[in-house]
Amino acid sequence: MTQKEALFQYCLRLGDNALILGHRLSEWCSRAPFIEEDLALTNMSLDMIGRAQALLKYAAEVEGSGKTEDDLAYRRPEPKYFNHLITEQPNGDFAHTIARQLYISTFEYYFYSDLEKSKDKTLAAIASKAIKEVKYHLQHAADWTIRLGDGTEESRNRMQKAISDLWMWSGELFEMDEVENSLLKDGIAVDLIPIKALWSNHIKQVLTEATLNMPEEDYMQTGSRKGIHTENLGHILSEMQYLQRAYPDAKW
Amino acid sequence: MVTQQVDTQQVFDWISDIPDPEIPVISIKDLGMLRQVEFDNNNYVVTITPTYTACPAMKMIEDEILGKLHQHNIDNVKVKLTYEPAWTTDWLTEEAKLKMKNYGIAPPQHSSCSKLFSTAETVVCPRCNSKHTEMISRFGSTACKSLYKCVDCKEPFEHFKCH
Ligand SMILES: [Zn+2]
């Protein structure tokens, strides 16, 4: 694998994470518990899609085959997507969406804080933009986790169930393969080993405040690095790519 | 061959009063979104930076720039979007913050106030200047604003987030 191929793959992964989670969050539009929450979830969705656009645009530039960010977003089949499996998990009830946000936003907070120091100037610039938005996402997720966990018996049970249900998807966030390792050597990628410790600490801190239990170390799901997904991604893509598939090159 | 008809500073001045589509009392220059104008390869290259990665106003601002310069018979224009250095509310001039406040939006303080888990900053009511305000939601009508209400005068208002 050349450095160029590794960088392309790295940008795709980051772009896909943002794109798929952005799409998932957009599904809350008009369905949130109340109007401010509707605005919050769709605002975060918009942040994600903006980040996906910047990252996939850069991925296309790195690849250098004349594709655009739209080609990458709308013309790839499922096995060519590399988003973490947790991002494609269904919204579930509100507690599941919040648990997913807590796991991912905490990860992104530490990840993008570090990527800001990347030797790749474009990635560093996108990271310094993203980190400001991620802080809001993380505070939002932490606030809700605490409010629901330390709330009624019903809200606590649901929040605990969501935290436990999504746990098995969290391990994949810290997987490193030859893409990361070769870029890490050049000071471009983020080392995920120290991020994992920071992540665990912060999650534990929030869960403790929320009077919730931290799940035990357990079997972790994996696959996205190889393009292996849960059945959920196919459904997302069939909706997201519908227009470009039905009317190729449609512009508006 | 197109030559440089006018000074880049002149071009900068012509487009500097284009209003921000969301907060029309503030110009793109006041906001710090308009970074620079250069002449390169027979084109005026206008560099702008988004306030937020997904700022939907960018396309509109680009069209405004092209339209404005077209009025001055300048059509060899390229609008370049840059993410670096990342935009920060620190670039807002004091004058811009005052205009924002008079428009009814509480201006941001300084960027360090967005530190994670810091105690919430005090947001002053743009209507009655009371510091007795409450956050309704971190997210508002656009990506750059959050929702507040004033406990004293009861006015609901928006706060331009610190970034
Ligand atoms: Zn007031």
Side-chain angles (χ1 to χ4, degrees):
Chain A
M1 178 178 285
T2 65
Q3 279 308 81
K4 194 177 113 172
E5 285 164 349
L7 184 59
F8 172 65
Q9 191 66 19
Y10 198 64
C11 296
L12 269 189
R13 289 174 181 181
L14 299 183
D16 288 350
N17 283 335
L19 182 65
I20 300 302
L21 184 61
H23 188 86
R24 269 294 186 228
L25 288 171
S26 77
E27 293 170 357
W28 273 104
C29 185
S30 81
R31 290 176 165 83
F34 46 86
I35 186 89
E36 287 82 7
E37 200 45 44
D38 212 287
L39 282 172
L41 293 166
T42 46
N43 258 289
M44 290 190 279
S45 166
L46 186 65
D47 286 346
M48 296 282 176
I49 291 175
R51 196 198 307 163
Q53 194 178 16
L55 286 162
L56 294 179
K57 187 173 177 214
Y58 185 47
E61 262 172 54
V62 171
E63 190 189 29
S65 67
K67 286 194 195 114
T68 67
E69 62 269 34
D70 285 340
D71 295 327
L72 289 176
Y74 299 117
R75 300 286 180 86
R76 277 179 295 154
E78 200 186 333
K80 297 280 182 210
Y81 269 81
F82 302 100
N83 56 283
H84 290 130
L85 300 177
I86 191 171
T87 62
E88 67 198 43
Q89 296 312 303
N91 286 336
D93 63 6
F94 186 66
H96 278 78
T97 293
I98 292 302
R100 192 182 60 201
Q101 284 302 105
L102 180 71
Y103 288 162
I104 295 175
S105 304
T106 303
F107 171 75
E108 288 184 339
Y109 175 69
Y110 295 112
F111 179 87
Y112 281 107
S113 300
D114 205 43
L115 192 67
E116 229 183 326
K117 297 170 222 143
S118 173
K119 286 197 177 137
D120 184 292
K121 287 271 172 284
T122 306
L123 284 180
I126 294 171
S128 61
K129 204 100 204 91
I131 191 66
K132 294 178 175 183
E133 295 162 0
V134 169
K135 281 176 190 165
Y136 279 91
H137 303 179
L138 178 49
Q139 282 179 335
H140 172 266
D143 283 355
W144 270 116
T145 304
I146 293 162
R147 187 165 159 194
L148 295 174
D150 193 14
T152 64
E153 193 186 340
E154 170 81 4
S155 74
R156 186 183 188 281
N157 288 343
R158 287 212 195 190
M159 198 62 229
Q160 183 66 63
K161 181 167 173 12
I163 287 289
S164 306
D165 285 352
L166 285 162
W167 183 250
M168 67 175 166
W169 308 104
S170 67
E172 204 189 33
L173 299 171
F174 310 101
E175 280 178 13
M176 292 182 77
D177 63 6
E178 63 168 320
V179 171
E180 266 91 3
N181 289 325
S182 72
L183 294 174
L184 181 60
K185 264 201 329 262
D186 295 343
I188 292 171
V190 171
D191 185 357
L192 299 175
I193 295 166
I195 304 285
K196 186 173 185 189
L198 292 165
W199 183 87
S200 297
N201 272 339
H202 187 257
I203 295 292
K204 197 174 175 108
Q205 197 186 314
V206 173
L207 294 182
T208 305
E209 200 178 335
T211 72
L212 296 169
N213 302 319
M214 180 103 165
E216 304 281 324
E217 283 302 326
D218 204 351
Y219 171 75
M220 288 290 177
Q221 295 283 354
T222 179
S224 74
R225 296 296 160 97
K226 298 189 179 72
I228 300 165
H229 292 274
T230 62
E231 72 274 22
N232 299 299
L233 184 67
H235 294 288
I236 294 176
L237 295 186
S238 69
E239 187 179 304
M240 199 177 81
Q241 298 183 334
Y242 177 80
L243 201 123
Q244 278 299 324
R245 299 278 185 198
Y247 305 96
D249 299 326
K251 292 250 184 299
W252 64 89
Chain B
M1 163 101 185
V2 189
T3 51
Q4 184 178 352
Q5 309 102 314
V6 288
D7 186 54
T8 51
Q9 183 59 46
Q10 177 65 67
V11 172
F12 188 93
D13 292 343
W14 278 332
I15 55 178
S16 62
D17 62 347
I18 290 173
D20 175 75
E22 301 286 355
I23 314 168
V25 290
I26 296 186
S27 72
I28 55 172
K29 183 189 159 216
D30 289 340
L31 259 177
M33 290 171 94
L34 176 59
R35 302 310 298 161
Q36 61 175 2
V37 177
E38 298 155 295
F39 194 78
D40 180 47
N41 216 358
N42 294 327
N43 282 304
Y44 289 94
V45 182
V46 179
T47 305
I48 54 175
T49 190
T51 50
Y52 278 68
T53 40
C55 181
M58 295 315 285
K59 179 73 183 105
M60 189 166 165
I61 291 170
E62 184 179 338
D63 291 346
E64 297 261 349
I65 291 171
L66 297 176
K68 190 101 180 198
L69 292 178
H70 179 73
Q71 289 170 15
H72 293 280
N73 297 315
I74 296 179
D75 291 304
N76 48 326
V77 182
K78 285 213 166 98
V79 178
K80 196 172 102 188
L81 191 66
T82 182
Y83 291 101
E84 190 205 4
W87 182 84
T88 157
T89 41
D90 293 345
W91 293 352
L92 282 169
T93 58
E94 286 308 313
E95 193 197 341
K97 287 185 186 175
L98 188 65
K99 283 186 200 163
M100 201 183 271
K101 179 174 180 285
N102 292 338
Y103 188 64
I105 298 170
Q109 320 291 321
H110 42 81
S111 61
S112 57
C113 60
S114 62
K115 238 179 19 212
L116 192 66
F117 303 121
S118 59
T119 43
E121 58 174 320
T122 312
V123 173
V124 177
C125 170
R127 187 168 174 269
C128 75
N129 294 318
S130 165
K131 288 181 178 167
H132 201 192
T133 59
E134 282 174 1
M135 188 197 285
I136 300 172
S137 172
R138 274 200 185 89
F139 301 88
S141 61
T142 64
C144 53
K145 286 174 273 174
S146 43
L147 286 176
Y148 275 75
K149 72 172 176 208
C150 176
V151 180
D152 288 333
C153 79
K154 312 292 180 206
E155 181 82 355
F157 64 91
E158 291 190 302
H159 166 54
F160 201 101
K161 291 178 194 171
C162 284
H163 251 213

